[in-house]
Amino acid sequence: MSPYLIFSNAAILHCVDIDDIMYCESVNRMVSIYGAQFDHRNVPNLRLDDLHKLLPTDRFVRVGRSHILNRQAITCLNKREARCWLAWRGETREVQLYARNVKILEQSLR
C-alpha cells in the first residue's frame, strides 16, 4: 500500500501522506482530510466509504456516516458531550461527534 493518497480534479492534485492523517470528515458531499502537517484538504467527488477502503483498518476507525479517526491520535473521548480530542505529531484537534456514534467509537477502542 502506498504511503500517500492522491486525489485530483480538473484544477487540483492533492497528495496526502497517510501517516499524517488525524481524521476525515464528510459534510455536504465533501470530504475533508485533516492532518498534523496541514489544516485540511477538501476532496470533492469522494465518498467517505471509498476513502475508508483506502486506509489501513488497523489504524483508522469509521465512526458513523461522518467521520474516520486515526486510532493512534485519540487522546480523550467525552461521552456526555460527544467530543473527541486527537493529538498527532504535535498538533491537537477537537472533533464533535454525533451522540449516537460515541458508543461505536468507545467499543472500537477496547
Side-chain angles (χ1 to χ4, degrees), residues 43-60:
V43 184
N45 304 318
L46 177 69
R47 296 175 355 160
L48 206 60
D49 281 341
D50 297 331
L51 177 58
H52 188 234
K53 291 174 187 174
L54 298 172
L55 296 170
T57 56
D58 61 324
R59 291 182 34 212
F60 292 90

Side-chain angles (χ1 to χ4, degrees), residues 6 29 42 49-50 66 80 82 98 101 107:
I6 299 173
R29 296 190 207 184
N42 291 326
D49 281 341
D50 297 331
S66 300
R80 286 191 180 125
Y98 290 106
N101 294 329
Q107 290 173 348

Side-chain angles (χ1 to χ4, degrees), residues 6-50:
I6 299 173
F7 306 103
S8 66
N9 62 25
I12 298 174
L13 176 80
H14 292 290
C15 297
V16 178
D17 185 342
I18 291 174
D19 292 334
D20 194 42
I21 297 173
M22 294 177 77
Y23 73 99
C24 308
E25 182 175 49
S26 176
V27 177
N28 298 328
R29 296 190 207 184
M30 171 91 62
V31 171
S32 295
I33 301 173
Y34 295 82
Q37 303 301 314
F38 57 90
D39 184 33
H40 72 280
R41 301 283 189 260
N42 291 326
V43 184
N45 304 318
L46 177 69
R47 296 175 355 160
L48 206 60
D49 281 341
D50 297 331

